[in-house]
Amino acid sequence: MQEWANQLCENRQFGSKMTDSKYFTTTKKGEIFELKAELNSDKKEKKKEAVKKVIASMTVGKDVSALFPDVVNCMQTDNLELKKLVYLYLMNYAKSQPDMAIMAVNTFVKDCEDPNPLIRALAVRTMGCIRVDKITEYLCEPLRKCLKDEDPYVRKTAAVCVAKLHDINAQLVEDQGFLDTLKDLISDSNPMVVANAVAALSEIAESHPNSNLLDLNPQTINKLLTALNECTEWGQIFILDCLANYTPRDDRESQSICERVTPRLSHANSAVVLSAVKVLMKFMEMLPKDLDYYGTLLKKLAPPLVTLLSAEPELQYVALRNINLIVQRRPEIMKHEMKVFFVKYNDPIYVKLEKLDIMIRLASQANIAQVLAELKEYATEVDVDFVRKAVRAIGRCAIKVEQSAERCVSTLLDLIQTKVNYVVQEAIVVIKDIFRKYPNKYESVIATLCENLDSLDEPEARAAMIWIVGEYAERIDNADELLESFLEGFHDESTQVQLQLLTAIVKLFLKKPTETQELVQQVLSLATQDSDNPDLRDRGYIYWRLLSTDPVAAKEVVLAEKPLISEETDLIEPTLLEELICHIGTLASVYHKPPSAFVEGSRGVQHKRLPCSAGSGESVDSPETSSTAGVSDAPPAVIPSQGDLLGDLLNLDLTPTTTGPPPPAVSTGMQLGAMDLLGGGLDSLPPVPLRTDTPQSPQIPNQSPSPTDYSTSELGGDLGGNPAIGAGFGAAPAAMPASFGAPGSGGLDDLFDLGSGVGMPMGAYSPPKSVWLQAMKAKGLEISGTFARRAGVIQMEMTLTNKAMSVMTDFAIQFNRNSFGLSPAGPLQVLTPLSPNQSIEVALPLNTSGPVMKMDPLNNLQVAVKNNIDVFYFSCQYPISMLFVEDGKMERQIFLATWKDIPNENESQFQIKDCHLSSDAVSNKLQGSNIFTIAKRTVDGQDMLYLSVKLTNGIWVLAELRIQAGNPNYTISLKCRAPEVSQCVFQSYEAVLKN
Amino acid sequence: MIGGLFIYNHKGEVLISRVYRDDIGRNAVDAFRVNVIHARQQVRSPVTNIARTSFFHVKRSNIWLAAVTKQNVNAAMVFEFLYKMCDVMTAYFGKISEENIKNNFVLIYELLDEILDFGYPQNSETGALKTFITQQGIKGQFQTKEEQSQITSQVTGQIGWRREGIKYRRNELFLDVLESVNLLMSPQGQVLSAHVSGRVVMKSYLSGMPECKFGMNDKIVIDKQGKGGATDDAAKSDLGGGSGKQSIAIDDCTFHQCVRLSKFDSERSISFIPPDGEYELMRYRTTKDIILPFRVIPLVREVGRTKLEVKVVIKSNFKPSLLAQKIEVRIPTPLNTSGVQVICMKGKAKYKASENAIVWKIKRMAGMKESQISAEIELLPTNDKKKWARPPISMNFEVPFAPSGLKVRYLKVFESKLNYSDHDVIKWVRYIGRSGIYETRC
């Protein structure tokens, strides 16, 4: 790389005599020295070439910061090209040389006054990119002038600069009144200035979720819509994305906005089209369905979406991921467009997989013949993932369209005949689902399946095959032999297979009790005595007791009729889907995850919701929720809540899904083997209704379960691998009473957290849950909870348990004023009523913008919780460590200066006893809780760690931690301008280190 | 918004690195190299999330362009921007190659500074950019104040794609209707899917700020006019010259940003002030009544385990007076092919082992003709269980008409300030139909 950096410059030195070898012989030091000389040369041309070389070295990652003063000296020039290069250098290195960067200020200020608008804009643009506090102070005046500049080019650059400055020092921007100036720019005569102002404001508003910064009202909306027709393609995107955050007052306003946005669907820029689609999808919610315009709009959406598929493959991918969401929300839009999703031979694999996904969703009786022919074609392709998905899709078609089932099964049989290993395995997995859907119809194929028994090496396929054998044990002559053969390697099998095998053998025993007694004994003892898997053991014990106490009941339970399986699979959970529709076109829609799952800090934490449909009976602002919960601005959901989804997916065939209290447990009883086992085997336990037992934590992205997710979590193998339930059923084991020693809901939540926080250093310390409100004191409501900081958001995580006899509804929460202004960031999300003996997990995001009052102890929090019965009060203490913010790492020099600056009387010393960690481990552990190590020093075998912490209210706490080798007691000195917090902070240090 | 932009060569060495946001560190450069460029398997997604940082990438020949962000950005916009970035670079220095990038790195930095501010894309029309990013840094001083404000008002203005004061001695414009016809046909000759994606490319050399109006045989417009019974004055200035009677149903179309979309939405008329020089006026898509220029009839027979007999007939299906050109039929062969014998009546056919295909080329072919190739493929016996996937037979060609049936009816030019009228403008129209993905399964 060094070579090309040199070569680069050489190419530009027309006729220069330098050769490559010269550079190779010089050492690094020499090279810098040489550049220094050239930079100080009198010849302009030589100077310029030298700067170019510096930039080239910078690009390849070499450290050329040593040349800072020499490069900055070149700044005073009339040559625009040279100036731009110097600026580029400055942007890169100013942060590491803040003092010297000041040298550049004068030139900037001067350039901001230059008669040439291009130079004025360049200066203000660059100044905003120099992230040095001292410079930002000087930036304010020029920026103010530039925001009012006569030239639109300067104004549009200044508008973005406000966002830059806000990123460096938000307070300064507010104090200087730049936000108001920026708001004024929305009414600017130049469309590009408007677009940039909108972009800047939208970004700033994101970090102030509750501020009314982007005060969107009909007037501003009108201005934006006017600018939309005139600005650049990028500006149109900014404006459309901003419009999507607006909630129209009524359906008429909604329609008029839609009418003005629809022309954008013909724009050549796909991003403009997708953002327009987002606005339309959102505002459409408000239109009455019987309106003519509603139908027209629906028809207008399909063609532009199809056109996106002729774009470049990367954009096709983005479009397909979005179409996948749109199809789930409004299937009618694309229902006639099946053909465009047919896979082309040369499509990149990522496009192929997405197309296939959508094809399955669009499959219907009308187009099934075509779809099947295509799928059959795909099953012979090369890419393994794609082929598997195609095979699986054939199975889904069979389940979705009854008329096609026969054809699908015969296609699958053909595929099994190919003997391609992964095709066979995939086919068996889907055939199992077909058996579930159409019992006693296709058993003739079992013989063919059994022939392939030996080739199955994937757990999922083995489990499916075992399920089939168990289910049809009475028709397979050698079922006992087959199952016995699996039993030999019982301990080497995965849990999924073990559980399935256990259930299958019990089924076999119940069907042919005489010959298989020995086998069932064997499997029960393997599962209960030789296994350390709690799920397996528990299931084993249940069967054992059931069989020994009441075989008739066992038969009724284990061989009970199974609930139907759903036709759709991998559906995104409705609340998440709603949120993702609000994010069409963005990364969230590509990942199918809410922004909070992959964005750090406060940005994107707000959960967006679709507006309420007209005439749904509920008014947009329900006074009740807003008065009790403070900041609830999310309108109530139109579609059924998560709990109902679960009911749907399981197809329990109960009462129609309502949001009312769930039906009594008795009626659900026989449908679910799992629950009944609990009830019948151990009658001491109270009946547990299943439907509402899902923890309601909206943060968990519960989407597209990997195939292995579901089978492990079902207790009564009778559910026999229903892919549909994977989506909503993930948390099922939480329904098991804790007395079984099964993994509690907490553990499971953790698993999900792991999944959502991929690539994140594992989170901050959070204490275990403790009981805050006792049931006796609160008419049967028990609350236990803890606090945690997850991805930069403070969360209050609670378990609400109803220990009373009646159903609890209408939960709300409020905080008293407290030391750090903690307040709920949204209403308490308890979407379903809490039935007796049921618990629910709630994660309540908090912010720190509430009213402040000093409490004693400092971290005390008084909480009021309301339900339909009464209001209850309790107080709890939060670990102060959850207030430690992510950007609490102080600059070294600043740390030193601050440490000296804080008077000694503010210093307090503590001892942390019995801690056996190395200094590095300590540093890592603390970092996890946003306690940052600034420096480490070793003096006389004693490690000194210098640490900094920033609280949400901007208080810095500095610390010096002394660790002596071999001594488990550490000494810690804390220094802070507000010494009151020291005690609390010390406790947090201790808690973090000891956990 | 976009946090940073990197350009790598095929080895993963950074050629250009520009960071716009503080949350993107130098390690992001390496993360992409290690996880994507140097990854063993094929790219599974154009968007990659590594340690909570998202990378968008596109590849041009062997150059990787990657945009990086930590926020929930508009993904479609990022890709559109990356494509635009490629267009701009191509317009400035030609092909995007390692050498060109190294030779123009200062220019690229200057462009990146201009078209992306704090990660927000700004005006990226080359027409406008070329007025002030010139790589002759000194030019700034020679500009008069008027020139400067002209530049800035153009860059930020409503007509950001055209500068004022353009003059030509001869006012001339060229319209190319370029269509690519896509087909997927079953072995039995059933059309599984077919569509035409077309582009209207305009080269304009017009003085001043001309107001243009473009008309074609769009079914919706023709039907509306027919009902109204209005005299069709447009037909007088008909440029298509052909049978203007029949109309076509356009599924969807998109326009260059110069076209007034709200006017199209309300009146379905296409009016605009064109950029100077060459640009793409519109794109459209049709699926109904497509003229499929060629039909491919395959016949593949497996003779035992080591021999394959292939016979392919192609039929041209258009007016006999027209000539198709650059015809190429590609017949895939199994990986274990040991030898091929080909006989064809017309053109030249060759077995290309490196491409696993028989390539049959015909220079010219008139309409309503038929030609045939037959081949015997010898196979090496293998014990590979996997069946040969039988990729489809694909075709390439070029025909001098629009397979969608689209006709240009008029392109009117008005420039009120300068003294030339619609009649003084010399207009040229050309139709070219090419094969897109034109496949027949066998």
Side-chain angles (χ1 to χ4, degrees), chain A residues 1 4 8 11-12 52 55-56 58-61 78-81 84-85 88 91 95 115-118 122 125 131 151-153 156-157 160 163-164 167 190-192 196 199 203 229-230 232-234 237-238 241 262-264 266-271 274-275 300 303-304 306-307 312 314-315 317-318 339 342 344-346 349-350 374 377-378 380 383 385 422 583 585-588 590-591 595 597-600 603 758-760 791, chain B residues 1 13-18 21-22 26 42-49 51-52 54 56-60 69-77 79-81 83-84 101-106 109-110 113-114 117-118 120-125 132-133 135 137-138 140-141 143 145 148-149 151-153 155-158 184 191-193 195 197 251-257 261-262 264-265 283 285 385-387 389 391-392 437 439 441:
Chain A
M1 282 317 276
W4 95 248
L8 263 177
N11 283 331
R12 317 220 108 246
K52 282 182 188 173
I55 300 289
M58 192 175 88
T59 298
V60 301
D78 302 332
N79 186 316
L80 203 57
E81 192 188 0
K84 284 182 177 173
L85 288 174
L88 189 64
M91 285 185 261
K95 224 176 147 187
N116 186 340
L118 292 171
L122 178 64
R125 185 165 68 212
R131 304 178 62 92
D151 194 291
Y153 183 77
K156 72 111 187 162
T157 312
V160 176
K164 292 180 189 168
D167 195 38
N190 183 293
M192 197 164 175
N196 276 4
E203 180 170 344
N229 288 323
E230 294 167 350
T232 64
E233 44 193 332
W234 314 115
I237 300 169
F238 305 154
D241 284 350
T262 30
R264 297 299 121 198
S266 311
H267 202 288
N269 187 315
S270 311
L274 267 181
S275 289
K300 277 191 176 170
V306 173
T307 298
E312 288 84 345
E314 292 88 2
L315 267 173
Y317 175 73
V318 173
K339 276 190 178 179
F342 284 177
K344 291 183 193 134
Y345 189 73
N346 289 326
I349 183 68
Y350 50 81
E374 280 294 304
E377 197 73 35
Y378 303 162
T380 60
D383 191 281
D385 286 348
Y422 54 85
H583 287 294
T586 69
L587 263 181
V590 174
Y591 292 146
F598 59 92
V599 175
E600 276 167 21
R603 286 180 208 281
V758 191
M760 253 287 278
Chain B
M1 278 308 114
E13 292 165 343
V14 212
L15 305 179
I16 296 287
S17 120
R18 176 76 160 92
R21 298 264 171 158
D22 210 31
R26 182 86 202 170
Q42 181 196 1
V43 173
R44 297 307 272 201
S45 161
V47 185
T48 325
N49 193 321
R52 295 206 145 217
S54 298
F56 300 77
H57 74 263
V58 299
K59 238 184 131 180
R60 288 288 178 271
T69 183
K70 282 206 164 184
Q71 298 174 21
N72 182 30
V73 298
N74 188 322
M77 186 188 78
F79 280 123
E80 283 284 1
F81 177 78
Y83 302 144
K84 193 65 168 206
I101 289 174
K102 283 177 177 176
N103 285 337
N104 291 286
F105 84 104
V106 175
Y109 275 124
E110 202 174 332
D113 197 42
E114 186 57 44
D117 190 5
F118 200 42
Y120 289 108
Q122 305 290 311
N123 192 339
S124 45
E125 286 299 311
F132 67 105
I133 296 187
Q135 276 294 284
I138 333 96
Q141 292 137 38
Q143 285 164 355
K145 196 152 184 210
Q148 285 163 4
S149 72
I151 289 171
T152 57
S153 75
V155 173
T156 60
Q158 295 181 21
L184 184 62
V191 176
L192 296 173
S193 74
H195 75 272
S197 57
D251 287 31
D252 188 39
C253 44
T254 58
F255 297 99
H256 185 265
Q257 57 169 323
L261 294 180
S262 33
F264 177 74
D265 196 55
R283 277 183 189 223
R285 185 168 47 83
K385 261 194 207 164
K386 237 199 225 167
K387 227 178 65 186
I437 294 163
E439 294 176 339
R441 288 184 180 153

Side-chain angles (χ1 to χ4, degrees), chain A residues 614-678:
Chain A
S616 73
E618 295 184 50
S619 67
V620 174
D621 43 348
S622 95
E624 194 198 357
T625 42
S626 51
S627 65
T628 47
V631 268
S632 111
D633 48 3
V638 191
I639 44 174
S641 60
Q642 198 182 359
D644 294 318
L645 171 74
L646 194 70
D648 271 345
L649 288 172
L650 289 172
N651 255 327
L652 286 175
D653 237 358
L654 301 169
T655 46
T657 51
T658 55
T659 39
V666 203
S667 70
T668 63
M670 289 317 291
Q671 298 276 1
L672 280 155
M675 292 342 288
D676 232 46
L677 285 170
L678 296 174

Side-chain angles (χ1 to χ4, degrees), chain A residues 199-474:
Chain A
L201 276 173
S202 302
E203 180 170 344
I204 295 171
E206 242 175 71
S207 49
H208 294 277
N210 294 320
S211 71
N212 197 16
L213 197 59
L214 253 174
D215 176 30
L216 293 177
N217 54 44
Q219 285 78 42
T220 38
I221 292 295
N222 198 27
K223 279 177 202 156
L224 293 184
L225 286 168
T226 313
L228 187 61
N229 288 323
E230 294 167 350
C231 58
T232 64
E233 44 193 332
W234 314 115
Q236 296 185 18
I237 300 169
F238 305 154
I239 291 179
L240 287 169
D241 284 350
C242 173
L243 272 179
N245 290 325
Y246 177 65
T247 309
R249 288 163 311 171
D250 51 26
D251 51 325
R252 214 172 306 149
E253 189 187 6
S254 183
Q255 178 176 347
S256 87
I257 296 177
C258 288
E259 278 166 0
R260 293 177 70 176
V261 167
T262 30
R264 297 299 121 198
L265 294 176
S266 311
H267 202 288
N269 187 315
S270 311
V272 174
V273 176
L274 267 181
S275 289
V277 169
K278 164 165 60 193
V279 174
L280 296 175
M281 280 294 285
K282 200 177 163 191
F283 289 9
M284 222 153 96
E285 297 287 333
M286 295 188 64
L287 299 177
K289 296 218 166 23
D290 45 2
L291 196 72
D292 283 348
Y293 181 69
Y294 179 83
T296 326
L297 195 54
L298 270 185
K299 269 191 219 127
K300 277 191 176 170
L301 278 172
L305 287 173
V306 173
T307 298
L308 293 179
L309 298 184
S310 43
E312 288 84 345
E314 292 88 2
L315 267 173
Q316 276 188 50
Y317 175 73
V318 173
L320 285 165
R321 292 294 281 176
N322 279 288
I323 291 172
N324 199 329
L325 297 172
I326 292 167
V327 165
Q328 287 184 56
R329 180 77 189 154
R330 296 192 177 275
E332 63 271 30
I333 294 180
M334 302 301 279
K335 76 177 171 223
H336 299 302
E337 305 289 349
M338 173 60 93
K339 276 190 178 179
V340 300
F341 298 104
F342 284 177
V343 168
K344 291 183 193 134
Y345 189 73
N346 289 326
D347 281 337
I349 183 68
Y350 50 81
V351 169
K352 282 186 179 173
L353 291 171
E354 292 307 317
K355 280 188 174 171
L356 194 50
D357 234 13
I358 296 171
M359 277 175 69
I360 304 170
R361 291 201 199 286
L362 292 179
S364 68
Q365 204 184 326
N367 55 26
I368 194 76
Q370 264 184 327
V371 172
L372 259 182
E374 280 294 304
L375 292 175
K376 205 174 166 182
E377 197 73 35
Y378 303 162
T380 60
E381 283 228 32
V382 198
D383 191 281
V384 177
D385 286 348
F386 182 63
V387 170
R388 279 171 178 274
K389 205 165 184 172
V391 174
R392 201 162 273 228
I394 296 174
R396 297 311 307 171
C397 286
I399 289 163
K400 222 178 148 177
V401 186
E402 190 165 356
Q403 291 81 352
S404 75
E406 192 146 359
R407 243 181 309 163
C408 294
V409 171
S410 76
T411 309
L412 288 170
L413 280 180
D414 285 351
L415 289 172
I416 289 177
Q417 298 302 350
T418 62
K419 303 277 177 198
V420 177
N421 190 286
Y422 54 85
V423 174
V424 173
Q425 309 212 36
E426 207 64 44
I428 286 179
V429 172
V430 289
I431 286 181
K432 176 208 64 187
D433 285 346
I434 296 176
F435 282 176
R436 269 297 300 284
K437 170 87 181 187
Y438 311 109
N440 304 320
K441 214 165 160 194
Y442 299 108
E443 284 70 38
S444 51
V445 308
I446 292 178
T448 323
L449 301 185
C450 288
E451 285 167 21
N452 292 287
L453 216 58
D454 300 333
S455 64
L456 308 181
D457 51 10
E458 291 162 19
E460 203 185 357
R462 286 174 85 88
M465 193 61 218
I466 293 170
W467 182 86
I468 293 172
V469 174
E471 191 63 22
Y472 296 100
E474 69 272 30

Side-chain angles (χ1 to χ4, degrees), chain B residues 356-407:
Chain B
N356 290 312
I358 300 167
V359 181
W360 175 25
K361 286 182 180 170
I362 304 170
K363 272 190 189 143
R364 252 174 243 105
M365 188 166 171
M368 307 314 267
K369 287 259 162 49
E370 190 176 310
S371 192
Q372 178 184 328
I373 184 172
S374 45
E376 268 187 32
I377 302 171
E378 304 280 342
L379 303 177
L380 290 169
T382 58
N383 45 9
D384 195 358
K385 261 194 207 164
K386 237 199 225 167
K387 227 178 65 186
W388 177 46
R390 281 207 188 181
I393 295 174
S394 58
M395 236 195 122
N396 287 316
F397 54 80
E398 198 178 294
V399 288
F401 61 91
S404 70
L406 181 129
K407 288 266 159 29

Side-chain angles (χ1 to χ4, degrees), chain B residues 233-369:
Chain B
D233 64 332
K236 285 176 203 155
S237 52
D238 191 326
L239 290 166
S243 49
K245 287 280 185 295
Q246 94 207 65
S247 58
I248 62 159
I250 293 176
D251 287 31
D252 188 39
C253 44
T254 58
F255 297 99
H256 185 265
Q257 57 169 323
C258 66
V259 176
R260 294 182 190 92
L261 294 180
S262 33
K263 209 151 181 195
F264 177 74
D265 196 55
S266 55
E267 305 162 22
R268 222 172 156 88
S269 75
I270 303 164
S271 63
F272 54 95
I273 297 174
D276 194 39
E278 183 172 335
Y279 74 103
E280 189 178 289
L281 175 65
M282 73 178 278
R283 277 183 189 223
Y284 56 92
R285 185 168 47 83
T286 71
T287 45
K288 289 197 190 72
D289 306 322
I290 293 170
I291 308 158
L292 295 171
F294 284 95
R295 164 105 204 263
V296 177
I297 305 152
L299 198 76
V300 180
R301 210 160 59 95
E302 286 176 41
V303 189
R305 297 192 61 193
T306 56
K307 205 167 140 192
L308 216 58
E309 280 180 7
V310 182
K311 199 175 109 180
V312 177
V313 179
I314 58 167
K315 284 183 180 169
S316 59
N317 176 35
F318 44 86
K319 269 189 239 164
S321 58
L322 297 173
L323 275 180
Q325 287 184 8
K326 301 178 192 166
I327 301 149
E328 185 184 293
V329 183
R330 188 169 281 264
I331 304 159
T333 54
L335 296 175
N336 55 338
T337 303
S338 61
V340 177
Q341 279 173 320
V342 219
I343 309 163
C344 59
M345 324 287 274
K346 209 170 176 223
K348 278 179 190 164
K350 235 188 216 165
Y351 166 62
K352 294 196 174 166
S354 59
E355 296 166 37
N356 290 312
I358 300 167
V359 181
W360 175 25
K361 286 182 180 170
I362 304 170
K363 272 190 189 143
R364 252 174 243 105
M365 188 166 171
M368 307 314 267
K369 287 259 162 49

Side-chain angles (χ1 to χ4, degrees), chain A residues 924-994:
Chain A
N924 277 338
K925 217 160 179 182
L926 293 174
Q927 174 124 22
S929 292
N930 291 337
I931 303 171
F932 296 95
T933 310
I934 308 300
K936 185 184 150 184
R937 203 151 60 104
T938 312
V939 182
D940 303 333
Q942 195 174 232
D943 282 339
M944 321 265 272
L945 291 180
Y946 294 93
L947 306 154
S948 78
V949 153
K950 189 179 160 191
L951 299 180
T952 44
N953 56 358
I955 294 180
W956 288 89
V957 185
L958 313 184
E960 183 195 51
L961 184 66
R962 262 169 292 178
I963 302 171
Q964 202 147 24
N967 184 353
N969 299 344
Y970 304 163
T971 315
I972 186 164
S973 305
L974 294 174
K975 259 191 165 186
C976 178
R977 291 191 204 273
E980 305 90 302
V981 300
S982 294
Q983 177 69 34
C984 279
V985 171
F986 160 67
Q987 283 166 0
S988 289
Y989 270 90
E990 192 168 41
V992 171
L993 284 177
K994 293 201 172 166

Side-chain angles (χ1 to χ4, degrees), chain A residues 33-97:
Chain A
F33 182 75
E34 215 164 86
L35 279 172
K36 212 179 179 85
E38 284 174 42
L39 284 171
N40 291 317
S41 151
D42 299 331
K43 286 183 196 141
K44 270 190 184 165
E45 205 45 37
K46 201 159 193 184
K47 234 181 193 175
K48 195 160 119 190
E49 292 310 322
V51 175
K52 282 182 188 173
K53 271 188 223 169
V54 173
I55 300 289
S57 307
M58 192 175 88
T59 298
V60 301
K62 255 191 251 172
D63 183 19
V64 281
S65 59
L67 296 165
F68 199 92
D70 309 282
V71 177
V72 171
N73 271 337
C74 303
M75 194 171 161
Q76 282 283 8
T77 170
D78 302 332
N79 186 316
L80 203 57
E81 192 188 0
L82 181 56
K83 191 168 230 141
K84 284 182 177 173
L85 288 174
V86 176
Y87 280 178
L88 189 64
Y89 178 89
L90 261 177
M91 285 185 261
N92 255 293
Y93 286 113
K95 224 176 147 187
S96 58
Q97 313 250 350

